[in-house]
Amino acid sequence: MNIVVCDDDEVIRKKIIQMCFKFQNETHITGEIIEMSSGEDVLNYHEQIDVLILDIELPGKNGIQVMREIEQEQSYDYIVFVSSHQEAVWNSFSCKTVGFIRKPIEYEQLRRILKKVAELKNEEFLIEIDTDQGVCVVKSSDLIYIKGEGSYTRIVTKNESLIVRKTLSQWEKQLTGMNMLRAHKSYFINMEYIKNIKQNVILDTGEEIKISRLRKSELLEKYHTFLKKKAFFL
């Protein structure tokens, strides 16, 4: 996933770039990270870019003016705006805009938006799992479910089942942005593997997983939203 970071403040620009590298290291999603300091730099660059992280308050052409000029171009797929002024959000809407972050930027905010972009681009997430035998890497598309077992969790994939010393609460943050459904206090389920939801969750593997009664309506809504989005992208 190729990223351009455009901000005229070098300190802020370098900080955002460090966050982007951190995101790449966590998700194993590769790509170039290019830094720019002006709107003119953006407009003069014509290579394919997946996401443009764009400061609104730029010298010369500001971020909003840049957005309007590249709206119909194919070079930049998505834009994330950053600004010190919350009210600037109202001018930042466009067909390419996927997020607005107010300065000072926090990593978790940027991480959520970059994961959203990766999902829109159908990027494959890679999940690092620490086992007694060492670190193994699992594709997010191969992960079926994670089951909590006290201080441990069972990771069930298409090819194997692993036990790791990590709680569901610890997994929750790492799974943000993926198609995982918290069906029960003990389960995260990959919605790609759900065959149906009735009294229980029925998986493509034939397994059934209990649903929390209190959260059933919420779970059904999340699953239906997932199906609609999946149908849209197909």
Side-chain angles (χ1 to χ4, degrees), residues 150-202:
S151 299
Y152 294 81
T153 44
R154 181 181 298 276
I155 315 299
V156 178
T157 75
K158 288 167 58 176
N159 306 310
E160 60 187 334
S161 177
L162 304 165
I163 298 289
V164 298
R165 190 177 180 84
K166 190 171 184 177
T167 66
L168 275 186
S169 296
Q170 290 172 313
W171 276 112
E172 190 161 13
K173 183 177 179 181
Q174 189 172 344
L175 297 173
T176 302
M178 300 184 195
N179 296 319
M180 302 298 290
L181 184 71
R182 186 75 178 263
H184 185 272
K185 65 179 181 179
S186 300
Y187 282 92
F188 276 111
I189 303 171
N190 187 342
M191 288 188 278
E192 292 282 1
Y193 290 91
I194 294 177
K195 184 176 182 180
N196 206 341
I197 298 180
K198 294 182 178 178
Q199 296 297 90
N200 298 322
V201 175
I202 302 169

Side-chain angles (χ1 to χ4, degrees), residues 115-127:
K115 276 204 167 186
K116 178 181 175 182
V117 172
E119 194 174 275
L120 291 169
K121 300 288 293 182
N122 291 319
E123 295 278 1
E124 181 76 271
F125 292 114
L126 298 177
I127 304 168

Side-chain angles (χ1 to χ4, degrees), residues 15-139:
K15 183 178 179 181
I16 296 173
I17 289 170
Q18 287 177 347
M19 291 179 182
C20 291
F21 279 123
K22 183 178 179 181
F23 172 78
Q24 288 185 334
N25 290 333
E26 286 182 355
T27 60
H28 300 274
I29 294 174
T30 59
E32 285 189 90
I33 299 174
I34 302 154
E35 62 176 299
M36 299 181 184
S37 59
S38 72
E40 287 74 18
D41 288 343
V42 173
L43 296 172
N44 290 328
Y45 190 83
H46 300 292
E47 299 298 321
Q48 187 61 41
I49 295 299
D50 297 301
V51 58
L52 167 63
I53 301 172
L54 182 62
D55 183 25
I56 288 181
E57 294 83 23
L58 291 170
K61 290 194 175 181
N62 64 37
I64 302 302
Q65 291 172 313
V66 171
M67 173 195 75
R68 288 173 182 152
E69 290 199 33
I70 66 173
E71 261 186 312
Q72 304 306 319
E73 290 187 14
Q74 301 302 314
S75 299
Y76 292 90
D77 288 342
Y78 299 104
I79 302 172
V80 178
F81 280 105
V82 295
S83 176
S84 302
H85 305 286
Q86 184 68 37
E87 65 275 11
V89 68
W90 303 113
N91 295 317
S92 68
F93 296 110
S94 78
C95 60
K96 293 180 181 284
T97 305
V98 290
F100 178 94
I101 304 175
R102 185 176 178 180
K103 296 178 182 179
I105 298 170
E106 295 182 4
Y107 173 65
E108 195 56 36
Q109 293 174 298
L110 182 61
R111 177 178 176 271
R112 282 198 298 269
I113 294 174
L114 291 178
K115 276 204 167 186
K116 178 181 175 182
V117 172
E119 194 174 275
L120 291 169
K121 300 288 293 182
N122 291 319
E123 295 278 1
E124 181 76 271
F125 292 114
L126 298 177
I127 304 168
E128 282 191 359
I129 300 174
D130 291 313
T131 69
D132 292 338
Q133 289 73 41
V135 176
C136 69
V137 177
V138 173
K139 292 180 181 179

